[in-house]
Amino acid sequence: MLSAYKYRTYPTREQGMRLKRNLSLLCKLYNELRDEKIRRYKENGESLTQTDLRAMALGKRRNNNDNLQTIFSQVVQNTADRVHSAFKNYLGGRARFPKNKRYSKYRSLTYPQFGFQLNNQTSRLYLAKIGSLRIFLHRAMRGEIRRLSIKYEAGEWYAIFITKTEAPERPPVEIVPDEKISGIDLGFEKFAALDNGASIEYPKFLRQSEEKIKRLQRRLPRRQRGSKRWKQICFSLAKLHLHVKRQRDDFQNKEMAELYKKNDVLVLEGLNVQNMLRNHNLAKSMADASFCKFIRKAHFKAEMLGKHFIMVDPWGTTQFCYNCLEWVPKALSERQHHCSHCGEKLQRDLNSAKLAKRLGILSIRRRSPPSDGGSSLAEPKPLPSLRGMVSQGVEAGSHRF
Ligand SMILES: [Zn+2]
């Protein structure tokens, strides 16, 4: 199991400048490799592999193009890996087409295996080609260090260590009683509705911070691009985004811990990524981003805590009755679920949560024989689906947004 540990680091002024310079060199390299990959494909249908890209990156470094020799070789190589995975994610339907990165958006560099050394006693982090940095180790790290990223966030530098630890034993999902399984529906009005009727409210402070972001963002176009005041607003925006991110993480971590304390299995529906990519509304895209994060957290916290997480296909989860599994179409504005087949009457989001739980249980019971200690159970793959259960005449249920 991989975990991430993030610590604040304090490079000297000179080290900070060198790191920033490295980031912009790597950004340039990223864009060059990306362009080259596209060009080769367009010209002769050639598709550059990860190895090709790495070789190209290291070749450029060897010829000391753009002073790449001032950067540790594995860090340069990692940039090639980023280009590779950007295209891989695009081809896998998980991301948009890789864009040319702006310098301001390229904010981290990675030491994949070597080139760094952490001294716990002196709280110093040595980075090859950068030097020794002061680091604040606010909590103990567990596991064997696999990778290190150095990240710049709104004026602050962070070291993120990826470590490998043994995952705790977890009971097979088949023996979990139904009352220890919770279905959750994520929503825009309420953050989450649980199948037992409880709900998690979206915290007010998050809404307030998001309002602040919106206000600040509206001021941006009124300033001359690149001017001093424009830069000031950009910096405040970055700070505010960081603040919101931390508030959101904190909120989600607490709720997640609470949910896993009470339950052994969480069932959530996946997000419709295609819909999300088309979505340009700021408030909604923020909500999407936070749902995405919540689902990812649910997945890896399950592994960390020895619990289970099941993701169900979001198709039709607002349009079916949890009780009789009949199709009950409703418009987005209808907040009630009233089933004309079995007479069930309840809140729309409660129905979705109960339905999620039911699909989750169906998928567990369908899984037999009991598996190999449960290692494959938390795969973030939509397992059960309403699609297969309905007659073919039913049109695709609309997505909830
Ligand atoms: Zn019904």
Side-chain angles (χ1 to χ4, degrees), residues 202-203 205-214 236-252 286 289-290 293:
Y202 201 72
F205 59 81
L206 267 179
R207 288 239 200 269
Q208 283 166 349
S209 307
E210 284 174 1
E211 275 307 311
K212 261 193 226 162
I213 289 187
K214 268 189 249 173
S236 322
L237 260 175
K239 280 235 171 242
L240 208 51
H241 271 292
L242 195 62
H243 181 62
V244 173
K245 181 175 162 284
R246 284 171 184 164
Q247 283 184 322
R248 184 185 292 139
D249 274 340
D250 186 51
F251 155 68
Q252 290 194 354
M286 277 185 185
S290 88
K293 201 164 215 183

Side-chain angles (χ1 to χ4, degrees), residues 37 48-55 80-82 84-85 88:
K37 186 165 163 79
L48 292 177
T49 63
Q50 184 168 22
T51 322
D52 297 337
L53 289 168
R54 280 182 172 186
D81 294 352
R82 289 186 191 192
H84 175 75
S85 51
K88 210 169 101 189

Side-chain angles (χ1 to χ4, degrees), residues 201-367:
E201 292 297 326
Y202 201 72
K204 217 174 175 181
F205 59 81
L206 267 179
R207 288 239 200 269
Q208 283 166 349
S209 307
E210 284 174 1
E211 275 307 311
K212 261 193 226 162
I213 289 187
K214 268 189 249 173
R215 273 205 303 275
L216 211 54
Q217 214 141 40
R218 276 197 294 270
R219 268 165 56 192
L220 205 54
R222 280 182 255 149
R223 305 275 181 258
Q224 174 108 41
R225 203 185 158 88
S227 70
K228 199 174 164 194
R229 293 174 119 193
W230 182 83
K231 277 184 189 153
Q232 267 168 4
I233 296 182
C234 280
F235 190 69
S236 322
L237 260 175
K239 280 235 171 242
L240 208 51
H241 271 292
L242 195 62
H243 181 62
V244 173
K245 181 175 162 284
R246 284 171 184 164
Q247 283 184 322
R248 184 185 292 139
D249 274 340
D250 186 51
F251 155 68
Q252 290 194 354
N253 288 340
K254 280 177 184 155
E255 295 296 343
M256 190 66 73
E258 202 55 36
L259 284 168
Y260 274 126
K261 209 184 280 173
K262 291 179 191 150
N263 302 287
D264 288 336
V265 180
L266 295 189
V267 188
L268 275 157
E269 56 183 274
L271 293 177
N272 189 328
V273 180
Q274 285 309 313
N275 276 10
M276 270 169 48
L277 294 184
R278 273 197 295 266
N279 194 347
H280 292 297
N281 178 319
L282 179 71
K284 284 202 175 148
S285 63
M286 277 185 185
D288 282 339
S290 88
F291 295 159
C292 250
K293 201 164 215 183
F294 196 72
I295 291 171
R296 275 206 305 275
K297 278 192 204 301
H299 177 231
F300 74 71
K301 293 265 171 178
E303 205 175 344
M304 231 164 84
L305 302 168
K307 306 273 181 167
H308 296 278
F309 167 62
I310 294 173
M311 190 156 105
V312 295
D313 186 343
W315 187 88
T317 46
T318 57
Q319 309 290 324
F320 285 81
C321 175
Y322 87 92
N323 189 31
C324 60
L325 292 181
E326 287 290 337
W327 190 46
V328 186
K330 44 180 127 27
L332 203 60
S333 55
E334 277 177 67
R335 302 315 304 166
Q336 287 288 321
H337 169 85
H338 187 183
C339 181
S340 51
H341 304 273
C342 67
E344 193 70 20
K345 214 175 186 178
L346 73 174
Q347 289 267 310
R348 176 202 181 99
D349 46 2
L350 185 55
N351 176 58
S352 300
K354 282 178 182 288
L355 188 56
K357 174 168 175 170
R358 184 149 179 199
L359 291 173
I361 291 174
L362 276 172
S363 89
I364 295 169
R365 304 293 174 247
R366 207 190 293 159
R367 255 181 249 165

Side-chain angles (χ1 to χ4, degrees), residues 117-174:
Q117 200 162 26
L118 179 66
N119 189 330
N120 283 306
Q121 266 80 51
T122 54
S123 290
R124 306 291 297 190
L125 172 66
Y126 168 79
L127 297 177
K129 302 265 183 187
I130 300 292
S132 160
L133 280 68
R134 188 158 69 84
I135 183 167
F136 180 52
L137 299 163
H138 67 283
R139 66 167 176 152
M141 204 177 342
R142 283 191 310 167
E144 180 196 332
I145 299 174
R146 285 297 170 91
R147 194 153 47 116
L148 166 67
S149 289
I150 303 292
K151 192 169 183 194
Y152 181 70
E153 285 181 353
E156 298 163 4
W157 290 94
Y158 292 89
I160 302 161
F161 294 91
I162 306 294
T163 69
K164 191 172 165 58
T165 45
E166 286 295 316
E169 285 271 321
R170 56 179 167 187
V173 72
E174 289 82 2

Side-chain angles (χ1 to χ4, degrees), residues 34-48 87 91 97:
R34 169 196 169 271
D35 294 346
E36 182 67 12
K37 186 165 163 79
I38 295 169
R39 193 183 64 81
R40 293 266 194 106
Y41 184 76
K42 274 190 184 153
E43 279 177 10
N44 40 22
E46 194 183 347
S47 140
L48 292 177
F87 278 95
L91 294 171
F97 189 74

Side-chain angles (χ1 to χ4, degrees), residues 10-18 124 132-134 157:
Y10 301 88
T12 61
R13 206 181 123 78
E14 199 239 339
Q15 285 168 338
M17 269 159 49
R18 221 178 307 158
R124 306 291 297 190
S132 160
L133 280 68
R134 188 158 69 84
W157 290 94

